[in-house]
Amino acid sequence: MATEESVYSEPQIPADHETILGLLNLTAPDDKTSLFQDAARTKFREVGPRIYLRGIIEFSNICDKNCYYCGIRKDNKKVERFQMSEDEITAISLRAYSQGIGSLVLQAGERCDKKFTEMVERVVRRIKLESNGGIGITLSLGEQEPEVYQRWFEAGAHRYLLRIETSNRQLYERVHPKDHDHTVRLECLENLREIGYQVGSGALIGMPGETTTELAEDALFFKKIDLDMIGMGPYVVHDQTPLAKKAGDYDHERQLNLGLKMIAVCRLLMPDINIAATTALQTLNPNGWELGIRAGANVVMPNITPAKYRDAYTLYQGKSICSESAAPLEYLRKLFINIEEKVVPNQWGDSLHFKKRT
Ligand code: SAH
Ligand code: SF4
């Protein structure tokens, strides 16, 4: 999976643990500001002053897994489960497309049964067909067999997001049940890359017991596996999960800061990839997306899931309040009125790094 001859643009900081740790541990406001400014300058130079959009559709909260941090884990019996129909997913996609959202993320809980994988294949094919190939599709549907990834790719999905959550195996094992296997997750990332997807991964930043030492290793890991995109965000507590009991010293401000510093460090290490300012940032701070863009991110993911499903897709607390689905483009343009970067409509906004490496 790792490439020996990386084709990244020149990193702006050395890819060594001490350097990254030093940046992640910055606390003085001036130091943090200059880190974010360096990252934003690097982004301007490498990928331009543009914000790409991914309309995210959370089409089902049925999940066969039990990650200790996640609100829709299988054993959370308080969640009312839903699954959108193929017609509904297609209609939402086409409406978003007509509103200027050229690229979508289809996300859901993880299911590997045939009924589900075939449904996804059909719906991807249909969205591509009915948009005349116009809509770019990213999938975020967890770990699957290589054949399934292959079929979804052939149906028209061209990007895949699968967070490693943490590159540290011991920490991974502390926040997942025994049958959730770090090695399998790594293999999935490798398979996705071999099939030809633009591959995105990321970390769940600041989990209980995690320190900046592990996060520095995550940033190095992302570079080592030569990612095209990063979609990472701070861990946010969900009360109905086992991990909430261990989140005694949980602090919103710390989580936000860690999330922003990770974006900046990753931009400096991997100048030409796509990095998303994710919903978790916006949940922690009403300006979270803007702060993420100012720290080096170049993608935002407006939630275009219909309002009636939002409360049921609560991965973490406070999430459902985020984003406006009626006129996403207008909403975002107003939201980003004060920043230099411009929201780009009607585009896939593919990873420049992917184009270079292929
Ligand atoms: N089931 C798929 C996609 C949906 S979950 C998968 O797991 O890949 C998408 C992401 O939500 C996960 O990768 C995880 O990093 C994030 N997530 C889950 N619980 C969270 C929490 N409490 N705080 C922040 N992010 C969370
Ligand atoms: Fe399921 Fe994804 Fe949540 Fe894990 S993080 S429980 S796989 S939805």
Side-chain angles (χ1 to χ4, degrees):
M1 158 160 47
T3 52
E4 291 190 354
E5 295 166 50
S6 177
V7 288
Y8 283 112
S9 296
E10 195 58 29
Q12 301 299 296
I13 50 174
D16 69 64
H17 183 84
E18 290 312 312
T19 305
I20 295 167
L21 188 62
L23 294 173
L24 293 176
N25 284 339
L26 292 177
T27 51
D30 284 355
D31 291 342
K32 285 192 287 177
T33 304
S34 83
L35 169 66
F36 299 152
Q37 284 173 347
D38 282 352
R41 263 196 300 273
T42 300
K43 172 185 66 175
F44 270 47
R45 197 184 56 241
E46 299 289 334
V47 292
R50 285 178 283 277
I51 302 173
Y52 293 122
L53 304 178
R54 318 279 179 247
I56 180 161
I57 306 175
E58 300 157 338
F59 67 85
S60 169
N61 65 354
I62 303 170
C63 187
D64 288 338
K65 295 189 95 178
N66 254 319
C67 309
Y68 291 156
Y69 40 82
C70 178
I72 64 168
R73 61 199 298 275
K74 186 177 184 184
D75 286 354
N76 186 1
K77 303 294 180 215
K78 292 188 178 148
V79 176
E80 204 180 311
R81 305 286 164 173
F82 72 90
Q83 160 77 56
M84 286 182 201
S85 69
E86 292 171 43
D87 286 347
E88 205 170 4
I89 302 169
T90 311
I92 298 164
S93 305
L94 295 174
R95 186 169 61 242
Y97 186 48
S98 72
Q99 292 173 322
I101 307 277
S103 192
L104 299 175
V105 178
L106 302 185
Q107 193 183 74
E110 186 175 306
R111 278 177 59 189
C112 302
D113 55 282
K114 220 168 162 203
K115 190 171 169 211
F116 178 79
T117 59
E118 289 182 351
M119 185 282 284
V120 172
E121 187 179 351
R122 276 195 306 274
V123 91
V124 168
R125 223 178 268 288
R126 189 165 154 194
I127 294 170
K128 293 302 276 192
L129 190 73
E130 294 193 20
S131 68
N132 278 326
I135 300 180
I137 301 180
T138 307
L139 297 177
S140 172
L141 302 170
E143 294 163 25
Q144 303 287 342
E145 291 299 323
E147 298 73 39
V148 172
Y149 286 147
Q150 181 71 46
R151 289 219 315 269
W152 290 348
F153 185 73
E154 282 163 16
H158 76 298
R159 298 189 286 236
Y160 204 100
L161 284 174
L162 181 72
R163 289 186 180 173
I164 190 66
E165 316 295 359
T166 170
S167 60
N168 183 295
R169 184 178 298 273
Q170 287 75 34
L171 177 59
Y172 189 90
E173 286 170 1
R174 285 210 299 277
V175 297
H176 295 96
K178 282 210 160 37
D179 58 353
H180 294 33
D181 190 340
H182 198 244
T183 305
V184 171
R185 213 146 176 98
L186 289 168
E187 284 167 4
C188 284
L189 286 169
E190 215 169 309
N191 293 337
L192 288 162
R193 187 181 162 98
E194 267 166 32
I195 290 167
Y197 282 96
Q198 293 180 37
V199 182
S201 191
L204 193 46
I205 301 166
M207 287 185 280
E210 186 177 44
T211 67
T212 43
T213 299
E214 282 99 30
L215 292 173
E217 286 304 310
D218 286 347
L220 287 170
F221 167 79
F222 298 150
K223 182 161 174 59
K224 191 179 96 187
I225 65 168
D226 202 24
L227 288 180
D228 303 306
M229 345 180 262
I230 292 182
M232 61 190 168
Y235 162 71
V236 184
V237 176
H238 190 300
D239 278 345
Q240 294 159 5
T241 60
L243 204 62
K245 295 184 192 67
K246 298 192 177 162
D249 60 351
Y250 178 83
D251 169 17
H252 263 44
E253 202 52 33
R254 174 178 179 271
Q255 296 301 91
L256 178 69
N257 265 295
L258 274 179
L260 295 174
K261 285 192 269 185
M262 277 296 277
I263 289 177
V265 160
C266 288
R267 174 60 68 198
L268 293 170
L269 270 178
M270 294 159 274
D272 56 5
I273 66 169
N274 278 347
I275 302 180
T278 51
T279 309
L281 288 177
Q282 187 76 356
T283 305
L284 293 174
N285 183 304
N287 298 320
W289 277 344
E290 179 177 335
L291 294 171
I293 296 291
R294 289 185 189 277
N298 67 328
V299 172
V300 288
M301 296 159 66
N303 193 337
I304 55 169
T305 308
K308 63 180 172 183
Y309 297 120
R310 295 273 180 96
D311 283 344
Y313 199 86
T314 310
L315 303 172
Y316 45 84
Q317 268 149 233
K319 178 177 171 299
S320 62
I321 56 165
C322 273
S323 194
E324 182 62 58
S325 64
L329 209 59
E330 290 306 297
Y331 170 76
L332 290 167
R333 284 199 169 126
K334 278 196 198 123
L335 197 69
F336 295 133
I337 196 95
N338 293 322
I339 63 179
E340 211 175 314
E341 293 90 332
K342 289 285 162 277
V343 173
V344 201
N346 306 314
Q347 283 200 25
W348 290 9
D350 280 336
S351 159
L352 193 63
H353 180 68
F354 177 79
K355 286 182 191 154
K356 288 191 203 162
R357 81 170 167 82
T358 48

